Structure formats: structure tokens, C-alpha cells
Amino acid sequence: MGLLLRDVQLGDVDAYVRMRCDPVMMAELGGPLPREGMPTKVRQDVESVAAGTAWVKMIVPDGTGTVAGTVALWSHEEDGATISEIGWMVLPEHQGRGYAKWAVRTVLEQARDADAWGLVHAFPGVTNAASNGICRSVGFTLLGERYVTFADRVLRTNHWMIDPRKL
Ligand SMILES: CC(C)(COP(=O)(O)OP(=O)(O)OC[C@H]1O[C@@H](n2cnc3c(N)ncnc32)[C@H](O)[C@@H]1OP(=O)(O)O)[C@@H](O)C(=O)NCCC(=O)NCCS
């Protein structure tokens, strides 16, 4: 596919701003986040990767150094249990080329090979056609709908789950 995944770096603030502070990119995620929070968010993500508590990967077309998007795995408490969650974004000029699907599949294969993360959940908005398409075509199972809180906003989502060992 001519793509690679690399860990997030401190220099990725501009890419975060383009992904998380843009009304179109964030239309299905409750709207844009404030730019001033991005340096802290990048630093926290770099620290989480260093500590091994999250995988935050940037999608980079081979030989370019340009960030096309991101895919991340992290865990959190839900109803007293710890669950693993995956999320992804691809910038507009790189969309529609299979990048997100490739990145999601690749990081799940890495999770399987490292025996990390266990069952993986995804919560795309119910109206997010592209992300629900990715879940379906990568092989997630649809468990139902769920309201989830993302960046302090409550979103109506589809609840998908996959066992990376069955990829
Ligand atoms: C969602 C997003 C990551 C998709 O990235 P992408 O690289 O364009 O997606 P891909 O090209 O890998 O497409 C993956 C699948 O979704 C389908 N798809 C893509 N866009 C679609 C659309 N608008 N409507 C329906 N299906 C769509 C593709 O056909 C493909 O399915 P296939 O393998 O069966 O052909 C990207 O549009 C994005 O970042 N949007 C804004 C942020 C966001 O919503 N993030 C996700 C939060 S859960």
C-alpha cells in the first residue's frame, strides 16, 4: 500500500490541529476541539506511548514524511471493567484510498502479534458511514448502539468489537 505507521512525536502538533480542530474532520466527533489544547495532548500521547499505556501511530505515505492520519489503541474503565478501544482519522486529501482500513488492520495485526490489548472495541458515530464501513470490512462484529463520552461530549455510537487473534 506504500504506507508505514510510526509512533507519535512531539513535532506532530500541526497534524493534531488539522485533525482535531477542524469542523469537517470533527463533524462526527462532537465538533472541533480548541487549538490551545493540542501541544498538551501531543505531549500526553507521546508520554503514554513511552509508558506503554497507549499505541498512538501516525499514518505516513512511504518516503514522504507527511502525516496522512492516525490510528490509536488505548484502554479505559467502563462499568468497572477495563476495555481496549481503537480510533482513527485520515486527513481529507488522503481519504478514499483505503488508508484508514489498512492502518486499522495493520495495528490490529501488531496487537495480535504482541499478544497485547485483548478484545478491541470501536465506537464510531451512528451516522459515520466511512468509519462504520471500516469496522464492517475489517471484520468487527456490531454489538449494538451506545452513548459514549468523547472529549466531554456525549455521542450516539455503534458499538463494534473484534478479537485480533481471529483476523
Ligand atoms: C473515517 C475516515 C477515517 C475514513 O478514512 P479513509 O482512509 O478515507 O477510509 P478508507 O479509504 O480506508 O475506507 C474504508 C472503507 O470505508 C468505506 N468508506 C469510505 N468512505 C465512505 C463513505 N463516505 N461512505 C461509505 N463508506 C465509505 C470504503 O468504501 C471502505 O470500505 P471497503 O473496504 O468495503 O471498500 C476519514 O473519513 C476521517 O478521518 N473522517 C473524519 C474523522 C472521523 O470521523 N474519524 C473516525 C471516528 S470513529
Side-chain angles (χ1 to χ4, degrees):
M1 167 125 297
L3 296 173
L4 57 85
L5 294 178
R6 66 151 172 84
D7 287 344
V8 63
Q9 301 168 353
L10 291 174
D12 287 323
V13 174
D14 287 349
Y16 271 51
V17 168
R18 287 202 61 212
M19 290 189 276
R20 293 167 173 264
C21 308
D22 178 83
V24 176
M25 285 296 289
M26 295 295 287
E28 295 287 345
L29 292 163
L33 299 173
R35 295 175 80 100
E36 55 272 24
M38 290 306 114
T40 302
K41 174 65 178 156
V42 172
R43 201 176 57 248
Q44 287 170 345
D45 283 356
V46 168
E47 286 169 4
S48 298
V49 169
T53 55
W55 287 4
V56 184
K57 313 271 187 192
M58 310 310 278
I59 306 166
V60 178
D62 259 353
T64 66
T66 310
V67 172
T70 185
V71 57
L73 266 164
W74 67 98
S75 62
H76 57 90
E77 290 286 310
E78 195 164 295
D79 303 329
T82 303
I83 70 159
S84 299
E85 183 171 344
I86 187 167
W88 49 78
M89 300 186 104
V90 168
L91 285 163
E93 66 272 26
H94 299 284
Q95 290 175 8
R97 300 179 189 168
Y99 284 14
K101 184 177 170 183
W102 174 87
V104 170
R105 221 191 138 79
T106 301
V107 82
L108 290 171
E109 287 169 357
Q110 292 176 354
R112 175 198 63 201
D113 294 348
D115 200 14
W117 300 107
L119 299 173
V120 175
H121 301 253
F123 300 96
V126 291
T127 57
N128 192 335
S131 280
N132 285 294
I134 288 165
C135 289
R136 196 170 293 111
S137 75
V138 170
F140 285 75
T141 302
L142 181 59
L143 301 181
E145 285 190 10
R146 169 157 325 176
Y147 286 94
V148 302
T149 305
F150 172 81
D152 297 330
R153 303 94 179 270
V154 178
L155 307 173
R156 185 176 159 212
T157 70
N158 280 325
H159 181 190
W160 296 88
M161 192 179 74
I162 194 166
D163 181 349
R165 287 164 300 190
K166 300 201 173 128
L167 271 173

